[in-house]
Amino acid sequence: MALSETSLIERYFRSGGAQRPDVALGIGDDAAILSPPAGSDLIATTDTLVAGVHFLSGAPPAAIGHRALAVNLSDLAAMGARPAWALLALTLPEAREAWLAEFAAGLGALAREHRVALVGGDTTRGPLCVTVQLLGFAPPGRALRRGGARAGDVLFVSGSPGDAAAGLALEQQRLTVPAAARDYLRERFLLPSPRVALGERLRDYASACIDVSDGLLGDAGKLAQASAVAVEICFEELPISEELEAALGDEGARQLALSGGDDYELCFAVAPARVPELLAQLPPERWGYTRIGALLPGSGARVVRGGTVMEFSHSGYQHFS
Ligand code: ADP
Ligand code: MG
């Protein structure tokens, strides 16, 4: 295949990520040879981004490279795993060197930030599509899951959900916001920061964890369902960034925090007895997370406001007119 010409791969991907001693053989052979730490569980994930579906076709190539790895890092963060090795399957309509250089730079910078080595991949011709597979480690039996929460556990979320959805609306010109908020919201969409360090630390505290990629309410509902409990989120407790509030007002911002996607934050449950130590060891103002609700007996996901349950129509809330 013309596009998998060794020179292109050499130039753009060979030294893009971190260098790690546990990579016995990286890019260049038919497969990589990797040496996982003895006794660790290997945690594996993959995510595909299709042009026009998961990113806008005209998106900056560096942002596409960043996102392709970030969505996978976020999955490993939700498992409490430490990321180590990535593989990249790249389908490109043509080999445009400027595009490849920027894409590789975006992916490489985030990989180095998290000490991830790019150990292999595949390059083919076709409609633009990017798949990253990410491998990482957790101590045996200690990886976090969606399904460990119990009724009575406290629910937390990291970051300020809703920002990325507003950033996407800005990119699509469905929203206009004050200039001061614009760059922040755009960046929250274009360059998500997966909560890898927080995820790893949460292994010691969380009973269940999920990453918020499809909207906080829906994803908290998935955690609750996997744990066979109900989840209740308190509308007034949702953490809203100044910028989102400036863009949408308090009401709109809270609605978007519940339903907007692409946050790549962590939503996690902690048994009440463990909460004091969590707050002491991982100060919320430093680690950037907020208590937003609780897990309860029963099933389903609901939002409580001023003591009463809010109604949501299935057609969804109209954020941008
Ligand atoms: P093969 O025909 O054996 O699949 P390729 O030419 O596809 O060989 O790949 C050669 C080497 O380059 C392999 O080590 C492969 O893992 C690596 N590679 C190919 N494409 C990529 C890519 N997009 N990113 C990282 N490594 C890649
Ligand atoms: Mg190949």
Side-chain angles (χ1 to χ4, degrees), residues 180-196:
R182 194 180 312 135
D183 291 348
Y184 167 85
L185 293 172
R186 276 193 73 219
E187 186 170 319
R188 296 298 299 135
F189 171 69
L190 284 176
L191 301 173
S193 313
R195 304 298 175 189
V196 176

Side-chain angles (χ1 to χ4, degrees), residues 76-124:
L76 284 202
M79 304 299 290
R82 171 172 298 186
W85 305 313
L87 294 123
L88 168 67
L90 193 54
T91 307
L92 294 169
E94 61 195 329
R96 277 186 33 225
E97 304 235 353
W99 192 96
L100 269 171
E102 282 182 50
F103 172 86
L107 192 147
L110 187 64
R112 290 191 300 276
E113 182 184 331
H114 292 284
R115 290 201 56 240
V116 168
L118 184 60
V119 299
D122 192 30
T123 311
T124 54

Side-chain angles (χ1 to χ4, degrees), residues 1 4 9 29-30 121-124:
M1 178 83 216
S4 66
I9 293 156
D29 212 306
D30 290 311
D122 192 30
T123 311
T124 54

Side-chain angles (χ1 to χ4, degrees), residues 186-223:
R186 276 193 73 219
E187 186 170 319
R188 296 298 299 135
F189 171 69
L190 284 176
L191 301 173
S193 313
R195 304 298 175 189
V196 176
L198 177 63
E200 263 202 84
R201 297 297 302 273
L202 286 176
R203 279 204 310 262
D204 292 335
Y205 305 99
S207 55
C209 187
I210 188 170
D211 78 312
V212 181
S213 52
D214 299 332
L216 176 58
L217 183 57
D219 288 330
K222 289 179 198 162
L223 182 152

Side-chain angles (χ1 to χ4, degrees), residues 11-259:
R11 196 165 336 141
Y12 296 112
F13 297 115
R14 159 100 71 190
S15 56
Q19 307 297 315
R20 296 179 58 103
D22 54 13
V23 179
L25 184 63
I27 291 173
D29 212 306
D30 290 311
I33 304 177
L34 308 169
S35 313
S40 279
D41 282 347
L42 190 59
I43 315 297
T45 188
T46 188
D47 255 310
T48 292
L49 304 183
V50 177
V53 179
H54 302 100
F55 58 89
L56 310 174
S57 307
I64 301 170
H66 178 103
R67 170 170 301 264
L69 182 58
V71 298
N72 285 281
L73 286 167
S74 185
D75 282 329
L76 284 202
M79 304 299 290
R82 171 172 298 186
W85 305 313
L87 294 123
L88 168 67
L90 193 54
T91 307
L92 294 169
E94 61 195 329
R96 277 186 33 225
E97 304 235 353
W99 192 96
L100 269 171
E102 282 182 50
F103 172 86
L107 192 147
L110 187 64
R112 290 191 300 276
E113 182 184 331
H114 292 284
R115 290 201 56 240
V116 168
L118 184 60
V119 299
D122 192 30
T123 311
T124 54
R125 194 183 292 274
L128 181 58
C129 177
V130 186
T131 299
V132 168
Q133 181 186 25
L134 187 62
L135 301 164
F137 319 123
R142 300 285 319 282
L144 295 172
R145 301 167 186 225
R146 297 178 178 186
R150 294 178 162 210
D153 287 359
V154 178
L155 189 73
F156 296 89
V157 72
S158 67
S160 45
D163 291 348
L168 171 60
L170 277 168
E171 290 295 285
Q172 296 172 322
Q173 285 155 9
R174 290 188 291 126
L175 176 68
T176 45
V177 310
R182 194 180 312 135
D183 291 348
Y184 167 85
L185 293 172
R186 276 193 73 219
E187 186 170 319
R188 296 298 299 135
F189 171 69
L190 284 176
L191 301 173
S193 313
R195 304 298 175 189
V196 176
L198 177 63
E200 263 202 84
R201 297 297 302 273
L202 286 176
R203 279 204 310 262
D204 292 335
Y205 305 99
S207 55
C209 187
I210 188 170
D211 78 312
V212 181
S213 52
D214 299 332
L216 176 58
L217 183 57
D219 288 330
K222 289 179 198 162
L223 182 152
Q225 188 174 24
S227 299
V229 292
V231 61
E232 189 172 282
I233 292 176
C234 180
F235 193 73
E236 292 87 349
E237 301 300 333
L238 290 166
I240 303 300
S241 69
E242 270 170 47
E243 291 85 353
L244 190 63
E245 173 150 7
L248 294 178
D250 185 69
E251 181 71 24
R254 284 172 196 281
Q255 297 277 358
L256 197 60
L258 286 168
S259 64

